[in-house]
Each structure stands twice: as structure tokens, then as C-alpha cells.
Amino acid sequence: MNTKMKCTVDTNVQYLKGVGPKVAEVFKKLGVETVEDLLTLAPRRYARKSLIKDISPRVQGFQGLRVPGFKGSTVPEFNEEMRVVGRIIQTRTKRTSKGPVFVVKLSDGTGTLDLSFFNYSRKATSNFKWNKLIEVEGVISFWGRNLQIVNPSVTFSPSSKEKFLPIYPLSQWLTHKYIRKVVRTTFANDIEIPETLPSYILKEEKLLPREKAIHYLHFPQKLELAELAHQRLEFEELFWLQVLLALRKKSIRKKGIKFKKGSELARQFFDLLTTETPEFKLTEAQRRVIWEIYEDMESKCKMNRLLQGDVGSGKTVIAILSMLKAVESGYQSALMVPTEVLAEQHYLRLSHYLPKIGVNLGLLIGSLSAQDKRRIKEEINNGEVQIVVGTHALIESGIKFKKLGFIVIDEQHKFGVMQRISIAQKAKSPDILVLTATPIPRSLALTIYGDLDISVIDEMPPNVGEIHTRWVYENKIQEVWEFVRSELKEGRQCYIVYPVIEGSEKLDLKAAREEYERLRKGVFKDYEVGLLHGRLKRKEKARVMEEFSSGKLNILVATTVIEVGLDIPNASCMIIEHAERFGLAQLHQLRGRLRRGKTKSYCIFVSPENLGEIAKERLKAIEKEEDGFKLAEKDLELRGIGEFFGTRQHGLPELKLANLMDTRVLSRARSLAFKIIEDDPRLENPENKIIREVLNRRYQEKLKFLEGG
Ligand code: ADP
Ligand code: MG
């Protein structure tokens, strides 16, 4: 640091002593740009010199697997005594032949470890609270593939005279030691660390002042202090997230379009639909949701609604009925979907009905020819097109609507909030309906989409066929193909899904392109087999889709491009190879392509035999469970929120420390933030002055961006 320049929390780290632009680039990879970022770079855990060890090298070392960046020299002996400090990520009881076992899963950021307690007392188990930091000691052994310590000794509030060293997330050649040094010099620079929470909140929530918290975060004398530091900083992150959501919700409430009551067009469309498919009868849930949406549209407030419904619950028809209502009031509607395949499908379906009721439909996707694109742009611009279906091509800057009033975003989980907001900016103050099949538990949904109202379809359409799910090992594949042949003989169609398009040497995976060749020349040589993946040209994709949906193709070999939205009733079975490579939510989505007709459908997951415990649990879970909500909970339990639902998704400030699963802290932060914005929307109360200052200083960009929506 140049001594003449005063270093503040907003200073770029490159100006710190001993850093410079090169190192700053590497820091950036860790999300560290300013001194503030550096100071809140949370250590994953703390090590006591030479005593506390990482979990992961042990597992990997013992299994003889190669771990990138891991040097074999510290591989411990099996049966070694070890000491670990980590967080509790799960607790459960298990029945075994030796009686009940209480199992606590511990994570130290490098790996996980099971603590197994035999002969435990019920009372003792209540001490193992989720997310608590503990220290354990004991002898390492294996339980199946899991690393475990049986009956370890536990320290609940680890403390000691020894120094604790922060272990940071790293990138490239950065080392813990180096980061520690930079942090230490920054502190030595007498940097001012302003408080960001009103003092009454600190008091009420028993939180450390910011400066102290940041100091303890990096230099804890005791682990308890590190714990308190984390608590304070986690709370703060969630609090600011909620303040932004509260402000956003407030701004949305303001103005909006007041659409006309009822809808003749919607009625006409529905009549047409039910004449052609007499068995189509709206479910109770669908009726309720349409009513909720219509009511919102007719009010003078802007609608921002999330429609949650499991795969196949019938969200599309709701989108159509709402878009038609908007058209009736003289506005344009847009339906934005995540893939071109899905856009084409919606377009195809709609073009069967809409012209008959005099509504002009358009398609806008990236791979249109330049000429077609020019024409559709023009029609969107002059208002000729009343409903347009498209991908994110819709948010390109060249697209200008004449009078966009209603937006549907399908399969929200595939878009970020950024895109949600960009499309909203194409209109003055449109009503927005966001559709998602990601079954987020309600409490969590409220928090992540805290600015949206939520409608739920909690009922499947009647007459959907049964679905049978099975999980088999690869060595049964011939039987699987036999089964597929028997389905094909009945005139049904089948999807076969692979995790990758092409194989590679690094990943020993079956790939769509090669398997397609093998299958169509081998077991399925007397059938028509098609191939669909993301790298095909648009025309090719459309042709394959068309051929499969018209029944010309019996089998569709595909990657996850078919994951969302496709709706082909005659396809009664799906084989997913390397099912272990997919997430639970994804498998559930894929399986959702089935059960679209009245026949029984079959979904078969194929995996190799040697799987990790978690992969096995996942496949077991989805084999048994059809309900997307229950699966989502299972998934959260197995993988944690981070992977299930990246923070990137909501486009709000990224959470560095906080865990969205910690619903207690979350709901505290939420109710506080919402109450403050409710009681003092302009933040004029002197007590809240600090909130206004921080908003201006830190979140100005975010605020603009939020108001944009
Ligand atoms: P998703 O919610 O996954 O988008 P879709 O809207 O694609 O589901 O609907 C799934 C299938 O169920 C479609 O074939 C659709 O026509 C049909 N469907 C939807 N609602 C009903 C209903 N009320 N009665 C009968 N079939 C319905
Ligand atoms: Mg859909």
C-alpha cells in the first residue's frame, strides 16, 4: 500500500502492499476484488498446527485414487488416530445388527466423515445440532465406502491455547500463508471497518460488532470466537439479501397494467381444446391458480408471480390462458423458454390453435435464418405478432415490442434473475408469470423468490398413466433392451438418454453419438432411431423432433436437451444410462417426459455397480419416490443447498458465508428486514440511517438493477 493513499474497505486489493495486478487477478477468481471482499473471505475451517488434519486425502489416499493437487506423502495409515474440526451436516439413526447407531456426518470442507455412536443416550444426541462446529478425535475406519470414526471423543466448543490457523478457499498458486499475510498487513494498516447493522439489531440478535467479527474470522484465539464471527457475518449477508428483496417487493407493488375482466379469447381457446380432447378437464388446482392469476392481472398492481408445479402438472395451459387475457386487452405477450427445442414445441402446439381464434403467433430463436429473424423482429415491433414464443433471443437488445404487457418465463430454474429482469425491461411495467418445476420447499421458495407471490399446482391431471421406475446395474442392459423391444412392439416409443454427446478419454462414459450408432446398427436395427443433442443445427433438431413426435422414429437417443418441457404422449419408456451422473432434480425432470399418455410408462435408470454411498442413496430415493417435493427435500439433505440451488440463480448479492438451509437465521433476518422496510420504507428513522448509508454505498448497483424489474 502506498503510504500516501489511505486504504479503505473499497480499495482494490491490487493496491495492497505485496499484491499488485497479477495477484489481484487470481484473487478475483475467489470473488475478492476489494479490501472488503478480502476481509470477508471466510476461512473454510481452522487448523491447529500439525494436529488437525484434512478429511479428504485420507479417503482418496486409502482408496488409491488420484486426487488433483494432492501429494501422496501425507497419506495416513489406516487405523490412524486423527483429529478433525468440522461442521455437522447431517444426523440420523440407523438400525444395525449390533443395535441402533446414531450417525453424525461431519464436513470440514475437504471431505466428509461419519461419526458412529453405539450405545448412545437420547439426551446426548440433542447436542449435535446442524451446522455446529465441533472437534472430534478417534481412530479412522471404513464403513462401506464412507470414512468413519466409531465412538469418537467430541469437543462441542473446541477451544485451546493453541493458535488456530484459518484455512481459506484457494485458487491457483495462492497459499493460506500468503492470504494470511495479506490480511495481517491490511489490519496492520489500521483499516477502518464500518459497522453495517443498526445497533439495536446487534443487541437484539446478540451479534458481534463488525470489526470484531472480521478480526475473529481471521485470527480467532478460540474456535468459539470464529463461530461467533461466522454467525455475525452470516446474519448480515442474509439480512441484506432480505432488505433488497423487501425493497424490490415494495417497488413492484406500485404500478402495473390493469387488464380487462374475463377473457373471451381464453374461453374460445379452451372450447377448442376441449372439443379436440374431451378428456381435458382443468384440475381443481389449475382452476384455483388461474383464478389467482386473473385476479392479479385485473388489479392495478403489477403481478410478479411464481407458479410452482411438478413436472407434468399442467402449467402450460395456464400460461396460454393468461397470455390470451393480456392479448384481449390489446397487449402483446411473450413466452420465454430455456431451449430452442422447447420453443419449437410450444410454437407448434400453439399454432394449431391460435390462428383459429384470430391470434397472431410468432417464434423467435437464435438459430432462425437472418431473413426470418428480420421479419419476426419487424412484426414484434409493429405489433402484428400478439404472442411470441422464444428463447433468450427475446432479450437481445435489437428486439423492441410495440406494447408488451405480459411475460411468461417457463422453467425458471434454467434462467437467472438477470434474464428475468432483462425481459421485463422490454415492457413498461408488465405482469410477469414465472413457471417452475423445481420443487423448492415453500419456506425456502419464499426466501429465494422473496419478491414474488407464489401459486402452487399440487395436483396432477386426471387420467395420467402410472409410472414405474427401476434402477438396474449395467450388467442387466441386455434385459433392458429386451424390455424396450417389447414396448416398441406394442407401438410405443422410447427415449434413451446419455450424459454426454461425445466420449472422451478422460471420462469413461457412454456417449450419445456412439451409442446411437451402436444401437441402431445392433439391437434396434429393425427400428427407426433418431439422435437429438444440443450441437445439432436448428433444422436438424426440428426435423428429429417432428419425426419423433409424429411417430416416425421409434427411439430417440438424446442428451439432456430433452430435459425440460417435451410432451410426447406415445413415448412410454425412458432409459437413462449413467444415471449416477445426473442430479436428482434432473432425473426427476427427465422422468417427467413420461406419463404424458394414459398408458403405463417405465423409467429405467442404469448405472455401474461401483457407486459411492450418496449416489446410491440418490438412485434409491428416486426409484421409490414420485413426488418432486419430497425428492427435492431428499436432494437438499444429500447435497446441500449450494449444489441444489446455486446462489447465482437469484441474481442478488452472492452469499459467501451464509447457508440458505439455515432456515432459523434466514427467517429471523427476513422478518427483521421486511418489518424495517414496512415500518420505515424511506429509512428516515435515525436508527435506520446506517441501513440507508450501506445501501447507497454498497448496493447502489443492485438497487438500480432491482428496480429495473
Ligand atoms: P408441465 O407443468 O410440466 O409444463 P404440461 O403443461 O406440459 O406440464 O402438461 C403435461 C401434460 O398434461 C400435457 O400433455 C397436457 O396437455 C396435459 N394436461 C395438462 N392439464 C391437463 C388436464 N387438466 N387434464 C388433462 N390433461 C392435462
Ligand atoms: Mg412445461
Side-chain angles (χ1 to χ4, degrees):
M1 183 73 207
N2 183 329
T3 45
K4 292 204 192 82
M5 217 161 102
K6 176 80 183 127
C7 175
T8 74
V9 284
D10 295 321
T11 309
N12 190 304
V13 285
Q14 68 164 302
Y15 301 116
L16 291 173
K17 190 170 161 225
V19 179
K22 275 229 183 80
V23 185
E25 275 308 303
V26 186
F27 265 127
K28 209 164 162 184
K29 296 213 170 77
L30 294 173
V32 172
E33 292 186 54
T34 62
V35 170
E36 165 84 35
D37 299 334
L38 176 71
L39 292 179
T40 51
L41 180 68
R44 292 224 182 99
R45 65 206 166 81
Y46 301 86
R48 219 175 284 170
K49 247 185 233 160
S50 78
L51 278 176
I52 292 171
K53 298 197 168 165
D54 285 0
I55 293 174
S56 109
R58 262 141 251 276
V59 186
Q60 314 287 16
F62 185 70
Q63 308 252 318
L65 298 176
R66 271 191 308 124
V67 191
F70 169 62
K71 306 202 179 42
S73 59
T74 56
V75 177
E77 295 292 322
F78 186 48
N79 277 343
E80 187 197 10
E81 176 95 12
M82 89 182 237
R83 184 189 259 188
V84 175
V85 174
R87 275 178 202 282
I88 297 172
I89 55 173
Q90 191 193 63
T91 58
R92 68 201 147 102
T93 45
K94 214 157 57 176
R95 275 179 211 297
T96 69
S97 54
K98 288 184 223 153
V101 192
F102 178 63
V103 184
V104 175
K105 203 178 259 311
L106 202 66
S107 161
D108 73 349
T110 71
T112 60
L113 174 71
D114 282 348
L115 312 173
S116 303
F117 297 88
F118 290 83
N119 303 322
Y120 58 93
S121 76
R122 189 162 287 277
K123 190 157 159 274
T125 62
S126 64
N127 290 326
F128 293 87
K129 298 227 166 54
W130 186 81
N131 206 27
K132 196 172 167 53
L133 198 64
I134 60 173
E135 181 184 310
V136 298
E137 243 181 301
V139 175
I140 290 286
S141 60
F142 271 87
W143 169 270
R145 284 199 129 214
N146 285 359
L147 203 61
Q148 73 161 359
I149 299 180
V150 177
N151 294 334
S153 59
V154 180
T155 317
F156 281 100
S157 38
S159 79
S160 150
K161 278 170 231 85
E162 290 154 287
K163 269 260 173 73
F164 288 91
L165 295 176
I167 302 295
Y168 296 98
L170 296 179
S171 178
Q172 293 187 10
W173 37 263
L174 283 181
T175 62
H176 304 300
K177 218 168 150 184
Y178 178 80
I179 299 182
R180 275 179 225 136
K181 203 178 102 203
V182 179
V183 173
R184 210 172 295 121
T185 28
T186 311
F187 270 108
N189 239 304
D190 260 346
I191 180 135
E192 196 184 323
I193 300 173
E195 183 51 66
T196 54
L197 294 176
S199 54
Y200 68 94
I201 293 188
L202 293 186
K203 214 149 101 206
E204 264 169 46
E205 302 298 312
K206 300 199 181 60
L207 298 170
L208 287 181
R210 193 154 204 273
E211 181 154 19
K212 254 203 183 125
I214 287 181
H215 199 268
Y216 291 154
L217 184 69
H218 300 282
F219 311 113
Q221 290 301 315
K222 294 194 244 169
L223 277 185
E224 283 142 312
L225 293 177
E227 185 79 38
L228 289 175
H230 276 265
Q231 270 170 23
R232 143 83 213 213
L233 295 165
E234 277 170 25
F235 181 90
E236 170 176 346
E237 268 187 350
L238 295 172
F239 175 77
W240 284 106
L241 174 72
Q242 296 300 330
V243 167
L244 291 171
L245 286 170
L247 286 169
R248 178 165 158 79
K249 188 154 186 172
K250 196 117 209 150
S251 80
I252 288 167
R253 279 281 147 254
K254 281 181 201 156
K255 61 252 154 163
I257 301 165
K258 199 172 162 186
F259 293 99
K260 279 194 217 139
K261 286 218 182 298
S263 173
E264 187 55 26
L265 281 174
R267 207 187 50 73
Q268 284 174 7
F269 162 78
F270 196 68
D271 284 350
L272 208 59
L273 178 71
T274 44
T275 324
E276 290 188 10
T277 25
E279 68 274 17
F280 200 107
K281 204 166 155 281
L282 291 179
T283 60
E284 268 313 304
Q286 283 171 319
R287 275 173 205 285
R288 184 186 67 234
V289 166
I290 289 175
W291 196 76
E292 284 167 359
I293 294 171
Y294 272 28
E295 199 177 35
D296 248 14
M297 291 177 75
E298 287 161 17
S299 87
K300 60 180 187 302
C301 287
K302 195 152 113 182
M303 177 172 88
N304 250 289
R305 190 170 279 279
L306 179 73
L307 172 53
Q308 226 184 22
D310 208 346
V311 193
S313 61
K315 296 184 290 293
T316 317
V317 68
I318 293 180
I320 300 169
L321 293 171
S322 329
M323 289 196 293
L324 287 170
K325 181 180 173 75
V327 168
E328 189 140 326
S329 292
Y331 288 89
Q332 289 170 296
S333 298
L335 170 60
M336 183 161 85
V337 303
T339 66
E340 298 206 342
V341 173
L342 189 51
E344 299 255 18
Q345 178 191 283
H346 279 315
Y347 178 72
L348 214 68
R349 288 274 160 90
L350 285 172
S351 50
H352 177 75
Y353 298 105
L354 299 194
K356 294 182 189 155
I357 55 172
V359 173
N360 275 332
L361 180 69
L363 174 71
L364 177 62
I365 54 183
S367 57
L368 288 180
S369 70
Q371 190 190 355
D372 286 348
K373 217 185 245 173
R374 206 169 326 116
R375 182 158 26 127
I376 181 77
K377 264 187 189 174
E378 177 58 32
E379 288 172 359
I380 289 173
N381 191 240
N382 66 22
E384 216 170 294
V385 162
Q386 294 160 294
I387 293 185
V388 55
V389 180
T391 55
H392 45 261
L394 284 168
I395 56 187
E396 278 166 22
S397 57
I399 311 295
K400 301 221 163 53
F401 286 83
K402 173 123 189 269
K403 199 179 175 191
L404 180 60
F406 193 80
I407 296 167
V408 182
I409 301 173
D410 195 8
E411 308 291 352
Q412 149 80 9
H413 64 290
K414 293 277 160 182
F415 291 106
V417 162
M418 261 307 201
Q419 283 154 320
R420 188 170 109 202
I421 286 167
S422 311
I423 177 103
Q425 282 167 341
K426 299 275 174 193
K428 224 166 176 181
S429 53
D431 277 11
I432 300 179
L433 179 65
V434 173
L435 313 183
T436 185
T438 311
I440 321 154
R442 197 176 169 87
S443 63
L444 209 57
L446 270 176
T447 309
I448 297 163
Y449 300 114
D451 54 335
L452 303 179
D453 292 313
I454 299 185
S455 292
V456 182
I457 310 185
D458 49 7
E459 182 183 1
M460 293 302 253
N463 318 319
V464 294
E466 286 168 62
I467 192 158
H468 295 264
T469 307
R470 276 199 59 196
W471 162 36
V472 301
Y473 288 137
E474 247 164 14
N475 58 16
K476 291 267 164 51
I477 195 76
Q478 289 313 326
E479 287 163 53
V480 172
W481 297 147
E482 260 325 295
F483 174 76
V484 171
R485 290 175 64 91
S486 72
E487 281 290 290
L488 296 178
K489 262 196 212 114
E490 303 278 315
R492 314 255 159 71
Q493 291 164 283
C494 176
Y495 298 98
I496 304 177
V497 184
Y498 292 92
V500 290
I501 302 176
E502 247 148 336
S504 77
E505 297 205 344
K506 264 190 260 143
L507 292 169
D508 187 19
L509 290 180
K510 292 191 206 165
R513 212 192 297 242
E514 288 131 37
E515 294 304 308
Y516 161 73
E517 291 297 337
R518 242 162 43 92
L519 294 170
R520 83 191 177 102
K521 290 183 189 141
V523 267
F524 299 118
K525 64 177 184 299
D526 15 347
Y527 289 99
E528 293 297 321
V529 185
L531 173 67
L532 188 70
H533 58 73
R535 273 192 236 145
L536 292 178
K537 292 243 159 56
R538 168 182 178 229
K539 286 230 171 77
E540 185 66 15
K541 262 191 236 163
R543 187 181 58 79
V544 174
M545 275 306 303
E546 163 56 32
E547 285 180 0
F548 190 63
S549 88
S550 69
K552 190 166 164 236
L553 292 175
N554 309 101
I555 294 180
L556 187 63
V557 174
T559 57
T560 52
V561 286
I562 62 159
E563 178 185 333
V564 287
L566 288 198
D567 183 23
I568 290 163
N570 191 45
S572 67
C573 69
M574 175 178 289
I575 315 301
I576 304 179
E577 291 226 57
H578 287 297
E580 80 283 359
R581 306 286 301 191
F582 300 90
L584 262 191
Q586 208 173 17
L587 289 173
H588 182 64
Q589 280 280 339
L590 281 166
R591 177 170 64 181
R593 297 309 114 224
L594 298 175
R595 201 167 64 168
R596 299 272 159 162
K598 273 182 229 151
T599 49
K600 265 191 191 169
S601 10
Y602 302 89
C603 187
I604 303 176
F605 301 125
V606 184
S607 81
E609 258 171 88
N610 59 335
L611 290 181
E613 280 305 316
I614 292 200
K616 276 190 188 158
E617 289 237 0
R618 279 224 301 255
L619 291 172
K620 244 189 269 165
I622 192 159
E623 188 182 25
K624 276 203 306 254
E625 187 55 73
E626 273 176 38
D627 183 316
F629 275 80
K630 296 216 179 93
L631 272 176
E633 271 161 21
K634 183 83 195 166
D635 206 17
L636 279 168
E637 186 188 309
L638 289 173
R639 292 197 299 164
I641 184 78
E643 276 181 71
F644 175 78
F645 204 93
T647 49
R648 194 169 44 82
Q649 283 256 349
H650 52 68
L652 288 157
E654 190 144 0
L655 298 175
K656 293 188 205 155
L657 290 106
N659 189 326
L660 287 172
M661 275 301 276
D662 199 342
T663 41
R664 198 196 59 82
V665 182
L666 194 62
S667 54
R668 274 305 294 157
R670 179 178 174 81
S671 56
L672 258 170
F674 273 71
K675 185 164 184 329
I676 290 171
I677 300 303
E678 189 59 44
D679 294 349
D680 184 14
R682 298 179 162 275
L683 299 168
E684 284 160 341
N685 185 332
E687 282 190 320
N688 294 327
K689 191 169 144 236
I690 187 164
I691 297 181
R692 206 174 58 216
E693 281 168 7
V694 175
L695 277 174
N696 285 336
R697 184 164 61 82
R698 241 208 251 167
Y699 295 109
Q700 202 148 46
E701 280 306 302
K702 299 272 183 221
L703 274 179
K704 257 191 249 151
F705 158 86
L706 289 172
E707 273 157 11

